[in-house]
Structures are given as structure tokens and as C-alpha cells.
Amino acid sequence: MKNHPPLLSLKGISKNFGAIRALEDISFDIFGGEVVALLGDNGAGKSTLVKIIAGGMAATHGQIMFEGEEVHFKSPAEAKSAGIETVYQDLSLCTNVDVVANFFMGRELVKRTFGIPVLDEHAMFSVVDKALQSAGTVIPSLRINVEHLSGGQRQAIELNRFVHWGGKLVLLDEPFAALGVEQTRRGLAMIKRIAAQGIGIIMITHIMSQAFQVADRMVVMRQGKIAGKVICADTSPDKIVRLITGDAD
């Protein structure tokens, strides 16, 4: 994967809130098809960094390169239109409508009947059914309101929607914190399938075992700085803990 240019490059990203420096000189690359776990204690700067990547706030200093070009996203909508999506614990689905409506939100297919534009419900259903089946996602009914689905099923819908509409980089902020063991297992497997399609993934998690299950690399943050960048296969949980706490050799 590293024979190709990075999908995302962060170069010297810093963020000040008045006299407080939340991030200092953050630099690393993300390649398409890899999962990078972003680790660190509370207050390490992980969420601030993700918000900067996703267009939720601007860096004070530094450069963001996406697909080889410098970008200055002014909003999450701009980042989303470029192919960067953030998935939080609190998902962006509309719970009072069904799976198909959520999948097509803002992209509905329309046909004309006697010259009058109407939703092409049959075509939309077929697209969603095929997309979820190809991803191995099982939903009891595509016509059920999302409020009746489990947290894992809702998350699967959001991630599959992102992939279907041409997403390139997904930022996962504690994606499995509220899920049970089986839902988490399925979610981790889904992350691997998404990465296998060439999509880059940054995953914030406090659960180190999850990071070791799916990540190719780990970026450890401490007090707004990078404490270490490691390949998962070359490290251990004890070494990561020492980087997080500042006790590394």
C-alpha cells in the first residue's frame, strides 16, 4: 500500500485555544486500505485532531494534504463532499424513517409518472439491498424504522452508506463504546472489509485489544504531541501503555 502516495498527510498540525496549545506539530500519513488506530489518554488531543481533519475546526498551524492536494475544509460538509466522513458513537441517522430512506438521504432516486416526479422506491430498495448483502450486513427489514435496530445494525448502515457513495477516508470516534461483545466483533470485521476496498480508516479507541485486532499501525498521542508511531505487528500492549503514560524507554 505504501508504494502509492498517501491518501492523507498531516504536516506540523498545531492547535491553540488562546494560551493553551492542544496540539503541537502532529505529522503522519494515512494510506488507502490501511487502518490506523489513534490512541491516547483523555485530553491527549485525539478528538481535536479528528475535528480538524473532518473540517470541524481549523488548525492554527500546519498543512493537510488529501489525495496529493492541500485542503482547507471550512466545514464537515466540505470534507464529506471530498470523501471524508466521521462516524461518532451518536450516529447521524434519522431514527424515525426506514433503512432505505437513511441510505439515500439527500440522494433519492426519482422517476416520472405521467410527467410527475415521484420517488423510485423499487430502485432505491434494490440498491440498498444489494449494497448491504455485498457487505455481509444482515438487517431484518429495510422498511423498518432505524429506531428499532440495534446499535451495531445502525453503525453498519452508516458505514455501508459511506462506502457506497464513494467515501475515501473514514474517521471512527470510539465506534464500539456502546456495543456488546457480538456487535463489536461484527463491527471490527466490517472495518477490515471496508479497508480491503482501499478506504483509509482512522479509529480512535480506548480499548487497546480492538486496536490490535484491526489496525495496521498505531499513532499514540500524549499531551497534544505524538508519543510514538508504531506498526502493530512490531509492538505489544505493554509498550503502547508506556507510550500513553510517558513511561517509555
Side-chain angles (χ1 to χ4, degrees):
M1 84 185 49
K2 294 187 180 180
N3 294 328
H4 302 286
L7 176 64
L8 176 79
S9 289
L10 305 179
K11 301 182 179 182
I13 298 295
S14 298
K15 179 63 179 179
N16 299 338
F17 295 101
I20 299 173
R21 173 155 285 192
L23 297 175
E24 183 175 348
D25 196 27
I26 303 296
S27 300
F28 62 89
D29 295 334
I30 302 289
F31 292 83
E34 74 167 346
V35 181
V36 174
L38 195 57
L39 304 175
D41 220 338
N42 290 334
K46 306 182 302 297
S47 292
T48 299
L49 180 60
V50 164
K51 287 176 183 176
I52 290 172
I53 297 170
M57 64 174 65
T60 305
H61 302 291
Q63 183 182 50
I64 299 176
M65 304 289 292
F66 186 62
E67 295 190 302
E69 296 185 3
E70 186 172 2
V71 293
H72 301 274
F73 299 130
K74 295 181 175 62
S75 69
E78 285 192 9
K80 187 172 184 175
S81 66
I84 299 176
E85 181 92 22
T86 307
V87 176
Y88 297 99
Q89 269 181 258
D90 300 322
L91 303 178
S92 63
L93 302 178
C94 294
T95 58
N96 62 338
V97 297
D98 67 20
V99 175
V100 175
N102 270 281
F103 205 89
F104 275 91
M105 199 70 67
R107 299 182 174 96
E108 289 80 4
L109 301 180
V110 175
K111 63 181 179 180
R112 290 190 172 272
T113 302
F114 301 112
I116 301 172
V118 295
L119 289 180
D120 193 339
E121 297 280 1
H122 178 75
M124 291 164 60
F125 184 96
S126 297
V127 168
V128 177
D129 187 45
K130 183 177 179 181
L132 294 182
Q133 283 194 36
S134 65
T137 299
V138 179
I139 303 294
S141 170
L142 301 186
R143 290 305 184 190
I144 192 172
N145 281 7
V146 167
E147 63 188 337
H148 299 299
L149 299 178
S150 70
Q153 289 168 333
R154 297 184 195 191
Q155 193 173 77
I157 293 166
E158 184 146 23
L159 287 171
N160 287 322
R161 179 178 66 179
F162 161 80
V163 173
H164 180 79
W165 296 117
K168 300 168 185 174
L169 174 68
V170 63
L171 314 172
L172 302 174
D173 193 349
E174 297 289 355
F176 308 119
L179 301 186
V181 173
E182 179 59 22
Q183 290 180 339
T184 297
R185 184 191 67 78
R186 292 179 182 177
L188 291 170
M190 183 168 55
I191 285 176
K192 289 183 177 180
R193 290 197 299 269
I194 291 171
Q197 298 180 53
I199 293 168
I201 298 174
I202 299 176
M203 183 175 77
I204 293 179
T205 180
H206 282 91
I207 304 174
M208 204 175 303
S209 61
Q210 294 178 2
F212 273 95
Q213 286 181 66
V214 298
D216 300 292
R217 292 187 293 126
M218 297 181 182
V219 175
V220 182
M221 296 182 64
R222 183 172 181 272
Q223 297 179 348
K225 301 178 182 179
I226 289 183
K229 294 182 279 191
V230 298
I231 297 172
C232 290
D234 297 339
T235 191
S236 68
D238 286 344
K239 291 179 181 178
I240 298 300
V241 169
R242 289 200 293 272
L243 287 171
I244 292 172
T245 59
D247 295 330
D249 295 336

